[in-house]
mmCIF file of all heavy atoms in Angstrom:
data_model
loop_
_atom_site.group_PDB
_atom_site.id
_atom_site.type_symbol
_atom_site.label_atom_id
_atom_site.label_comp_id
_atom_site.label_asym_id
_atom_site.label_seq_id
_atom_site.Cartn_x
_atom_site.Cartn_y
_atom_site.Cartn_z
ATOM 1 N N GLY A 64 -65.728 15.193 -4.490
ATOM 2 C CA GLY A 64 -66.411 14.909 -3.285
ATOM 3 C C GLY A 64 -65.574 14.297 -2.140
ATOM 4 O O GLY A 64 -66.109 13.956 -1.085
ATOM 5 N N GLU A 65 -64.277 14.102 -2.414
ATOM 6 C CA GLU A 65 -63.365 13.549 -1.371
ATOM 7 C C GLU A 65 -62.281 14.563 -1.062
ATOM 8 O O GLU A 65 -61.807 15.251 -1.936
ATOM 9 C CB GLU A 65 -62.741 12.271 -1.853
ATOM 10 C CG GLU A 65 -63.685 11.135 -2.061
ATOM 11 C CD GLU A 65 -62.979 9.849 -2.396
ATOM 12 O OE1 GLU A 65 -62.060 9.443 -1.681
ATOM 13 O OE2 GLU A 65 -63.305 9.257 -3.454
ATOM 14 N N GLU A 66 -61.936 14.671 0.217
ATOM 15 C CA GLU A 66 -60.830 15.557 0.580
ATOM 16 C C GLU A 66 -59.503 14.873 0.318
ATOM 17 O O GLU A 66 -59.284 13.711 0.752
ATOM 18 C CB GLU A 66 -60.871 15.973 2.028
ATOM 19 C CG GLU A 66 -59.819 17.007 2.327
ATOM 20 C CD GLU A 66 -60.002 17.735 3.662
ATOM 21 O OE1 GLU A 66 -61.018 18.434 3.806
ATOM 22 O OE2 GLU A 66 -59.109 17.636 4.489
ATOM 23 N N ILE A 67 -58.632 15.514 -0.433
ATOM 24 C CA ILE A 67 -57.319 15.010 -0.742
ATOM 25 C C ILE A 67 -56.268 15.979 -0.291
ATOM 26 O O ILE A 67 -56.572 17.155 -0.028
ATOM 27 C CB ILE A 67 -57.146 14.670 -2.238
ATOM 28 C CG1 ILE A 67 -57.228 15.927 -3.081
ATOM 29 C CG2 ILE A 67 -58.139 13.613 -2.703
ATOM 30 C CD1 ILE A 67 -56.696 15.736 -4.482
ATOM 31 N N ASP A 68 -55.030 15.538 -0.163
ATOM 32 C CA ASP A 68 -53.883 16.334 0.274
ATOM 33 C C ASP A 68 -52.760 16.139 -0.769
ATOM 34 O O ASP A 68 -51.815 15.426 -0.501
ATOM 35 C CB ASP A 68 -53.478 15.841 1.663
ATOM 36 C CG ASP A 68 -52.514 16.724 2.349
ATOM 37 O OD1 ASP A 68 -52.273 17.877 1.894
ATOM 38 O OD2 ASP A 68 -51.991 16.301 3.387
ATOM 39 N N PRO A 69 -52.914 16.757 -1.949
ATOM 40 C CA PRO A 69 -52.001 16.406 -3.026
ATOM 41 C C PRO A 69 -50.587 16.929 -2.868
ATOM 42 O O PRO A 69 -50.369 17.953 -2.177
ATOM 43 C CB PRO A 69 -52.651 17.119 -4.256
ATOM 44 C CG PRO A 69 -53.485 18.187 -3.702
ATOM 45 C CD PRO A 69 -53.895 17.765 -2.348
ATOM 46 N N SER A 70 -49.616 16.266 -3.511
ATOM 47 C CA SER A 70 -48.253 16.705 -3.528
ATOM 48 C C SER A 70 -47.508 16.114 -4.726
ATOM 49 O O SER A 70 -47.903 15.056 -5.213
ATOM 50 C CB SER A 70 -47.536 16.391 -2.215
ATOM 51 O OG SER A 70 -47.533 15.015 -1.986
ATOM 52 N N LEU A 71 -46.460 16.780 -5.115
ATOM 53 C CA LEU A 71 -45.660 16.421 -6.280
ATOM 54 C C LEU A 71 -44.239 16.178 -5.816
ATOM 55 O O LEU A 71 -43.705 16.939 -5.003
ATOM 56 C CB LEU A 71 -45.677 17.563 -7.319
ATOM 57 C CG LEU A 71 -44.678 17.477 -8.470
ATOM 58 C CD1 LEU A 71 -45.154 16.458 -9.490
ATOM 59 C CD2 LEU A 71 -44.505 18.827 -9.127
ATOM 60 N N CYS A 72 -43.606 15.134 -6.360
ATOM 61 C CA CYS A 72 -42.191 14.868 -6.086
ATOM 62 C C CYS A 72 -41.480 14.583 -7.387
ATOM 63 O O CYS A 72 -41.759 13.568 -8.068
ATOM 64 C CB CYS A 72 -42.075 13.663 -5.152
ATOM 65 S SG CYS A 72 -40.374 13.142 -4.890
ATOM 66 N N ILE A 73 -40.547 15.428 -7.763
ATOM 67 C CA ILE A 73 -39.716 15.219 -8.946
ATOM 68 C C ILE A 73 -38.292 15.079 -8.442
ATOM 69 O O ILE A 73 -37.747 16.052 -7.876
ATOM 70 C CB ILE A 73 -39.857 16.365 -9.981
ATOM 71 C CG1 ILE A 73 -41.330 16.374 -10.508
ATOM 72 C CG2 ILE A 73 -38.869 16.161 -11.134
ATOM 73 C CD1 ILE A 73 -41.613 17.419 -11.529
ATOM 74 N N ASN A 74 -37.755 13.914 -8.603
ATOM 75 C CA ASN A 74 -36.445 13.613 -8.039
ATOM 76 C C ASN A 74 -35.294 14.217 -8.832
ATOM 77 O O ASN A 74 -35.490 14.955 -9.798
ATOM 78 C CB ASN A 74 -36.285 12.066 -7.951
ATOM 79 C CG ASN A 74 -37.138 11.522 -6.843
ATOM 80 O OD1 ASN A 74 -37.008 11.933 -5.664
ATOM 81 N ND2 ASN A 74 -38.049 10.591 -7.137
ATOM 82 N N SER A 75 -34.126 13.933 -8.389
ATOM 83 C CA SER A 75 -32.866 14.550 -8.844
ATOM 84 C C SER A 75 -32.748 14.642 -10.353
ATOM 85 O O SER A 75 -32.913 13.627 -11.041
ATOM 86 C CB SER A 75 -31.682 13.802 -8.234
ATOM 87 O OG SER A 75 -30.484 14.428 -8.530
ATOM 88 N N ILE A 76 -32.394 15.847 -10.808
ATOM 89 C CA ILE A 76 -32.198 16.124 -12.268
ATOM 90 C C ILE A 76 -30.758 16.647 -12.386
ATOM 91 O O ILE A 76 -30.421 17.693 -11.791
ATOM 92 C CB ILE A 76 -33.156 17.171 -12.771
ATOM 93 C CG1 ILE A 76 -34.582 16.691 -12.602
ATOM 94 C CG2 ILE A 76 -32.856 17.533 -14.224
ATOM 95 C CD1 ILE A 76 -35.653 17.785 -12.734
ATOM 96 N N ASP A 77 -29.895 15.946 -13.078
ATOM 97 C CA ASP A 77 -28.518 16.394 -13.254
ATOM 98 C C ASP A 77 -28.475 17.689 -14.066
ATOM 99 O O ASP A 77 -29.326 17.880 -14.987
ATOM 100 C CB ASP A 77 -27.672 15.350 -13.942
ATOM 101 C CG ASP A 77 -27.467 14.094 -13.086
ATOM 102 O OD1 ASP A 77 -27.554 14.234 -11.850
ATOM 103 O OD2 ASP A 77 -27.193 13.023 -13.658
ATOM 104 N N THR A 78 -27.521 18.538 -13.782
ATOM 105 C CA THR A 78 -27.379 19.804 -14.496
ATOM 106 C C THR A 78 -25.919 20.201 -14.594
ATOM 107 O O THR A 78 -25.093 19.743 -13.787
ATOM 108 C CB THR A 78 -28.165 20.950 -13.794
ATOM 109 O OG1 THR A 78 -28.107 22.131 -14.601
ATOM 110 C CG2 THR A 78 -27.651 21.239 -12.405
ATOM 111 N N ASP A 79 -25.620 21.022 -15.582
ATOM 112 C CA ASP A 79 -24.266 21.589 -15.689
ATOM 113 C C ASP A 79 -24.183 22.972 -15.106
ATOM 114 O O ASP A 79 -23.161 23.637 -15.162
ATOM 115 C CB ASP A 79 -23.813 21.591 -17.156
ATOM 116 C CG ASP A 79 -24.704 22.460 -18.035
ATOM 117 O OD1 ASP A 79 -25.745 22.947 -17.559
ATOM 118 O OD2 ASP A 79 -24.319 22.615 -19.212
ATOM 119 N N LYS A 80 -25.278 23.434 -14.457
ATOM 120 C CA LYS A 80 -25.314 24.769 -13.839
ATOM 121 C C LYS A 80 -24.500 24.731 -12.581
ATOM 122 O O LYS A 80 -24.571 23.764 -11.789
ATOM 123 C CB LYS A 80 -26.732 25.215 -13.589
ATOM 124 C CG LYS A 80 -27.680 25.095 -14.769
ATOM 125 C CD LYS A 80 -27.179 25.934 -15.911
ATOM 126 C CE LYS A 80 -28.178 25.856 -17.098
ATOM 127 N NZ LYS A 80 -27.679 26.335 -18.318
ATOM 128 N N ASN A 81 -23.755 25.814 -12.318
ATOM 129 C CA ASN A 81 -22.899 25.892 -11.131
ATOM 130 C C ASN A 81 -23.573 26.530 -9.919
ATOM 131 O O ASN A 81 -23.024 26.520 -8.814
ATOM 132 C CB ASN A 81 -21.628 26.649 -11.463
ATOM 133 C CG ASN A 81 -20.742 25.829 -12.371
ATOM 134 O OD1 ASN A 81 -20.475 24.622 -12.108
ATOM 135 N ND2 ASN A 81 -20.338 26.403 -13.494
ATOM 136 N N SER A 82 -24.715 27.199 -10.153
ATOM 137 C CA SER A 82 -25.418 27.834 -9.014
ATOM 138 C C SER A 82 -26.929 27.716 -9.265
ATOM 139 O O SER A 82 -27.363 27.561 -10.372
ATOM 140 C CB SER A 82 -25.017 29.315 -8.929
ATOM 141 O OG SER A 82 -25.573 30.043 -9.997
ATOM 142 N N VAL A 83 -27.657 27.877 -8.183
ATOM 143 C CA VAL A 83 -29.097 27.769 -8.297
ATOM 144 C C VAL A 83 -29.657 28.908 -9.181
ATOM 145 O O VAL A 83 -30.645 28.689 -9.900
ATOM 146 C CB VAL A 83 -29.759 27.706 -6.873
ATOM 147 C CG1 VAL A 83 -29.673 29.023 -6.187
ATOM 148 C CG2 VAL A 83 -31.184 27.198 -6.967
ATOM 149 N N GLU A 84 -29.073 30.071 -9.110
ATOM 150 C CA GLU A 84 -29.523 31.183 -9.922
ATOM 151 C C GLU A 84 -29.455 30.856 -11.434
ATOM 152 O O GLU A 84 -30.281 31.355 -12.184
ATOM 153 C CB GLU A 84 -28.728 32.453 -9.615
ATOM 154 C CG GLU A 84 -28.987 32.982 -8.222
ATOM 155 C CD GLU A 84 -28.217 32.254 -7.140
ATOM 156 O OE1 GLU A 84 -27.265 31.527 -7.435
ATOM 157 O OE2 GLU A 84 -28.586 32.400 -5.943
ATOM 158 N N GLU A 85 -28.495 30.068 -11.812
ATOM 159 C CA GLU A 85 -28.369 29.677 -13.229
ATOM 160 C C GLU A 85 -29.468 28.710 -13.718
ATOM 161 O O GLU A 85 -29.579 28.471 -14.910
ATOM 162 C CB GLU A 85 -27.011 29.009 -13.465
ATOM 163 C CG GLU A 85 -25.797 29.978 -13.341
ATOM 164 C CD GLU A 85 -24.493 29.241 -13.554
ATOM 165 O OE1 GLU A 85 -24.424 28.302 -14.389
ATOM 166 O OE2 GLU A 85 -23.522 29.596 -12.860
ATOM 167 N N LEU A 86 -30.306 28.241 -12.784
ATOM 168 C CA LEU A 86 -31.384 27.319 -13.201
ATOM 169 C C LEU A 86 -32.530 28.101 -13.859
ATOM 170 O O LEU A 86 -33.409 27.453 -14.461
ATOM 171 C CB LEU A 86 -31.925 26.564 -12.032
ATOM 172 C CG LEU A 86 -31.018 25.490 -11.421
ATOM 173 C CD1 LEU A 86 -31.686 24.850 -10.202
ATOM 174 C CD2 LEU A 86 -30.669 24.418 -12.463
ATOM 175 N N THR A 87 -32.548 29.408 -13.736
ATOM 176 C CA THR A 87 -33.593 30.180 -14.424
ATOM 177 C C THR A 87 -33.705 29.806 -15.880
ATOM 178 O O THR A 87 -32.666 29.808 -16.602
ATOM 179 C CB THR A 87 -33.347 31.689 -14.257
ATOM 180 O OG1 THR A 87 -33.430 32.009 -12.891
ATOM 181 C CG2 THR A 87 -34.362 32.500 -15.030
ATOM 182 N N GLY A 88 -34.866 29.445 -16.320
ATOM 183 C CA GLY A 88 -35.055 29.024 -17.712
ATOM 184 C C GLY A 88 -34.875 27.519 -17.957
ATOM 185 O O GLY A 88 -35.157 27.045 -19.011
ATOM 186 N N GLU A 89 -34.343 26.836 -16.955
ATOM 187 C CA GLU A 89 -34.114 25.354 -17.093
ATOM 188 C C GLU A 89 -35.422 24.627 -17.219
ATOM 189 O O GLU A 89 -36.422 24.937 -16.581
ATOM 190 C CB GLU A 89 -33.354 24.888 -15.879
ATOM 191 C CG GLU A 89 -32.710 23.533 -16.002
ATOM 192 C CD GLU A 89 -31.409 23.540 -16.817
ATOM 193 O OE1 GLU A 89 -30.992 24.563 -17.318
ATOM 194 O OE2 GLU A 89 -30.831 22.456 -16.923
ATOM 195 N N THR A 90 -35.434 23.618 -18.120
ATOM 196 C CA THR A 90 -36.633 22.784 -18.275
ATOM 197 C C THR A 90 -36.281 21.303 -18.172
ATOM 198 O O THR A 90 -35.070 20.925 -18.354
ATOM 199 C CB THR A 90 -37.269 23.045 -19.663
ATOM 200 O OG1 THR A 90 -36.374 22.715 -20.698
ATOM 201 C CG2 THR A 90 -37.757 24.499 -19.787
ATOM 202 N N PHE A 91 -37.304 20.489 -17.904
ATOM 203 C CA PHE A 91 -37.124 19.043 -17.826
ATOM 204 C C PHE A 91 -38.448 18.420 -18.157
ATOM 205 O O PHE A 91 -39.511 18.924 -17.751
ATOM 206 C CB PHE A 91 -36.661 18.622 -16.427
ATOM 207 C CG PHE A 91 -36.355 17.132 -16.321
ATOM 208 C CD1 PHE A 91 -35.175 16.656 -16.851
ATOM 209 C CD2 PHE A 91 -37.278 16.308 -15.759
ATOM 210 C CE1 PHE A 91 -34.917 15.282 -16.772
ATOM 211 C CE2 PHE A 91 -37.013 14.938 -15.660
ATOM 212 C CZ PHE A 91 -35.806 14.455 -16.184
ATOM 213 N N SER A 92 -38.424 17.304 -18.912
ATOM 214 C CA SER A 92 -39.622 16.641 -19.329
ATOM 215 C C SER A 92 -39.554 15.166 -19.138
ATOM 216 O O SER A 92 -38.459 14.561 -19.292
ATOM 217 C CB SER A 92 -39.948 16.912 -20.807
ATOM 218 O OG SER A 92 -40.128 18.264 -21.055
#
Side-chain angles (χ1 to χ4, degrees):
E65 294 186 54
E66 185 167 298
I67 64 166
D68 192 11
S70 58
L71 169 76
C72 174
I73 297 180
N74 286 305
S75 185
I76 301 165
D77 292 338
T78 185
D79 61 354
K80 308 301 182 195
N81 290 309
S82 71
V83 71
E84 292 79 16
E85 291 180 34
L86 289 178
T87 296
E89 194 79 356
T90 61
F91 184 77
S92 298

